[in-house]
């Protein structure tokens, strides 16, 4: 920088800075240029954007000095994506992450939503302590242990939404029984990532009595369908049946034993254990796979059973995608005639999506059969 920042230039920056509400910062290296250092001195430790609401920062550790300039007490939504600098090691990262979180959260006391991305490392329990007063936390890109989850449970006071990678399976399911969950009992929205085999243990150990929305994103092999059924069965005993309103399942089927043939996932195996949650209003199942085609086998009987299990349902969505075309000779698909039962039994339905609807038998054509039943 050849010249210093004039009073006029600084006033202009402050004028427009007061108007900024959302900011995205992307950097692959150091941001500490002479310009920002000069701006930092003029700011005198105050925020550059005093009315900022949303801040998305992607920065390489340990270069954090400049992004700290943009933090403001007015920020309510903060996303931090951290990448490892060339001089850092796996041993030096955890304490640095803790320092970063503490420095950042100290400057945004009113933040309610916090997303930590990058650095897929194990988070030690002391790292989550600065998150204790937040409403919405997403640390799903990192790995947490049950001890770390216990620490989050003990320190959280108002956590409502949590997105995490399900911890690795416990050797002894009773290790933390009754010790986790008190601080997590207020969670209404839970998003679990990771291997499906780790989910049942988490649901057994951690109670979620106030849960309204459950989302699961997981790899799913045909050999792990039993684990998936076990997961949904555990829901019936660990989640209050009267509170759960929405279930979102995102499964990425993988072939067993390097078999690249089409993976068939029976819809009945996914939904059977959810039938006890009669108050559900939204149920979505999404599958996707790039290496093979995964299909959800859906029979008319499956859909009719679903309409009876959740009479108050407003949204039912089954979607799937893949690079290979499905084999229609082996794919179990619903017929168009089942639409009559859908319209008759799901009176509150607003959205209905199923793949591969077969029109071989045509649409239900008897006008008197439909009566007042119509698709929303």
């Amino acid at each position: 920088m050849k010249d210093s920042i004039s009073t006029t230039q600084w006033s202009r920056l402050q004028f427009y800075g007061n108007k900024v509400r959302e900011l995205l910062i992307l950097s692959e290296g150091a941001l500490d240029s002479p310009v920002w250092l000069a701006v930092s001195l003029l700011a005198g430790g105050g925020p550059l954007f005093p009315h900022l609401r949303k801040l998305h920062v992607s920065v390489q550790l340990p270069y954090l000095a400049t992004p700290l300039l943009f933090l403001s007490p007015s920020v309510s939504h903060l996303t931090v994506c951290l990448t490892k600098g060339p001089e850092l090691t796996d041993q030096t990262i955890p304490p640095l992450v803790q320092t970063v979180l503490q420095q950042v959260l100290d400057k945004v006391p009113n933040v309610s939503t916090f997303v930590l991305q990058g650095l897929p490392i194990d988070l030690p329990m002391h790292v989550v302590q600065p998150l204790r007063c937040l409403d919405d936390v997403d640390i799903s890109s990192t790995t947490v242990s049950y001890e770390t989850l216990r620490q989050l449970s003990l320190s959280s006071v108002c956590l409502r939404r949590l997105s995490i990678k399900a911890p690795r399976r416990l050797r002894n399911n009773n290790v933390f029984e009754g010790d986790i969950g008190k601080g997590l009992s207020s969670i209404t929205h839970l998003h679990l990532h990771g291997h499906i085999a780790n989910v049942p243990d988490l649901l057994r150990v951690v109670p979620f009595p106030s849960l309204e929305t459950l989302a699961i994103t997981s790899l799913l092999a045909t050999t792990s369908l039993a684990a998936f059924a076990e997961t949904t069965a555990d829901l019936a005993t660990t989640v209050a049946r009267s509170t759960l309103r929405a279930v979102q399942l995102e499964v990425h089927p993988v072939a067993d034993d390097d078999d690249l043939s089409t993976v068939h996932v029976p819809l009945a195996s996914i939904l059977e254990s959810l039938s006890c949650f009669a108050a559900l209003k939204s149920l979505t199942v999404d599958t996707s796979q790039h290496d093979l085609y995964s299909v959800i086998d859906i029979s008319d009987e499956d859909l009719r059973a679903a309409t009876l299990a959740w009479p108050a349902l407003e949204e039912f969505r089954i979607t799937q995608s893949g690079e290979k075309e499905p084999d229609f000779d082996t794919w179990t698909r619903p017929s168009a005639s089942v639409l009559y039962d859908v319209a008759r039994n799901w009176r509150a339905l607003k959205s209905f999506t199923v793949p591969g609807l077969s029109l071989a038998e045509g649409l239900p054509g008897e006008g008197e059969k439909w009566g007042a039943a119509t698709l929303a």
Side-chain angles (χ1 to χ4, degrees):
M1 186 172 62
K2 296 181 179 180
D3 302 317
S4 61
I5 299 175
S6 67
T7 302
T8 302
Q9 290 172 327
W10 178 242
S11 297
R12 186 176 178 84
L13 178 59
Q14 287 181 308
F15 174 78
Y16 287 106
N18 286 328
K19 298 178 180 295
V20 176
R21 297 296 184 271
E22 184 170 358
L23 183 65
L24 173 63
I25 302 175
L26 301 176
S27 174
E28 295 182 355
L31 280 169
D32 302 325
S33 68
V35 174
W36 290 117
L37 293 177
V39 169
S40 175
L41 292 175
L42 287 173
L48 291 179
F49 307 120
H51 303 295
L52 192 65
R53 295 291 183 268
K54 294 183 178 181
L55 177 60
H56 309 265
V57 178
S58 179
V59 65
Q60 187 180 85
L61 290 174
Y63 307 114
L64 192 68
T66 298
L68 288 176
L69 288 173
F70 302 101
L71 295 174
S72 169
S74 61
V75 171
S76 61
H77 188 118
L78 177 63
T79 298
V80 179
C81 181
L82 302 175
T83 57
K84 184 175 72 172
E87 65 275 21
L88 295 181
T89 65
D90 291 343
Q91 288 72 35
T92 59
I93 288 177
L96 184 57
V97 170
Q98 182 189 14
T99 301
V100 167
L101 289 182
Q102 193 64 63
Q103 289 180 340
V104 168
L105 295 176
D106 282 347
K107 291 180 176 291
V108 285
N110 297 313
V111 70
S112 59
T113 300
F114 177 71
V115 180
L116 177 63
Q117 299 175 337
L119 297 180
I121 60 172
D122 289 346
L123 278 182
M125 62 178 181
H126 54 265
V127 171
V128 302
Q129 290 178 352
L131 309 180
R132 63 187 182 277
C133 295
L134 302 185
D135 177 76
D136 185 350
V137 173
D138 182 348
I139 50 175
S140 58
S141 66
T142 64
T143 303
V144 296
S145 66
Y146 272 92
E147 184 62 34
T148 299
L149 194 59
R150 184 180 71 87
Q151 182 63 43
L152 182 62
S153 169
L154 295 176
S155 60
S156 297
V157 294
C158 56
L159 195 60
R160 298 292 182 270
R161 306 173 70 97
L162 178 64
S163 181
I164 60 171
K165 184 178 294 183
R168 300 179 185 90
R169 301 196 70 157
L170 292 172
R171 293 182 180 179
N172 180 356
N173 286 338
N174 297 321
V175 171
F176 298 110
E177 194 77 41
D179 202 16
I180 297 181
K182 293 181 180 179
L184 304 179
S185 61
S186 59
I187 288 179
T188 58
H189 294 71
L190 177 67
H191 192 166
L192 299 177
H193 301 253
H195 199 286
I196 192 63
N198 296 332
V199 175
D201 279 329
L202 177 65
L203 294 176
R204 294 190 190 103
V205 174
V206 185
F208 297 100
S210 304
L211 200 62
E212 297 176 4
T213 299
L214 173 68
I216 298 176
T217 300
S218 177
L219 295 175
L220 182 65
T222 53
T223 54
S224 61
L225 281 174
F228 197 90
E230 182 183 4
T231 295
T232 55
D234 284 333
L235 286 175
T237 58
T238 60
V239 177
R241 302 186 184 190
S242 59
T243 64
L244 195 63
R245 293 292 184 269
V247 174
Q248 303 163 4
L249 305 176
E250 182 181 343
V251 294
H252 302 278
V254 293
D256 299 314
D257 302 324
D258 297 324
D259 178 12
L260 296 182
S261 59
T262 299
V263 174
H264 287 261
V265 180
L267 180 64
S269 67
I270 296 177
L271 303 185
E272 183 177 1
S273 298
L274 296 175
S275 60
C276 65
F277 298 101
L280 280 185
K281 292 184 178 295
S282 176
L283 178 59
T284 65
V285 181
D286 299 332
T287 69
S288 64
Q289 181 54 262
H290 299 294
D291 299 328
L292 67 159
Y293 199 92
S294 58
V295 299
I296 298 180
D297 286 328
I298 308 172
S299 67
D300 288 354
E301 291 72 21
D302 292 338
L303 288 181
R304 290 191 182 99
T307 65
L308 298 176
W310 305 293
L313 209 67
E314 297 178 359
E315 178 186 23
F316 183 83
R317 186 180 76 238
I318 307 293
T319 59
Q320 55 192 32
S321 62
E323 294 182 353
K324 292 177 61 178
E325 289 296 324
D327 184 352
F328 287 94
D329 293 332
T330 61
W331 183 15
T332 302
R333 299 181 293 151
S335 67
S337 61
V338 79
L339 292 179
Y340 169 71
D341 298 284
V342 168
R344 180 185 61 182
N345 296 332
W346 276 338
R347 297 302 182 112
L349 193 66
K350 298 177 181 178
S351 177
F352 178 75
T353 304
V354 292
L357 188 70
S358 175
L359 298 176
E361 300 177 3
L363 290 169
E366 303 86 349
E368 65 279 2
K369 180 179 180 181
W370 289 85
T374 57
L375 284 175

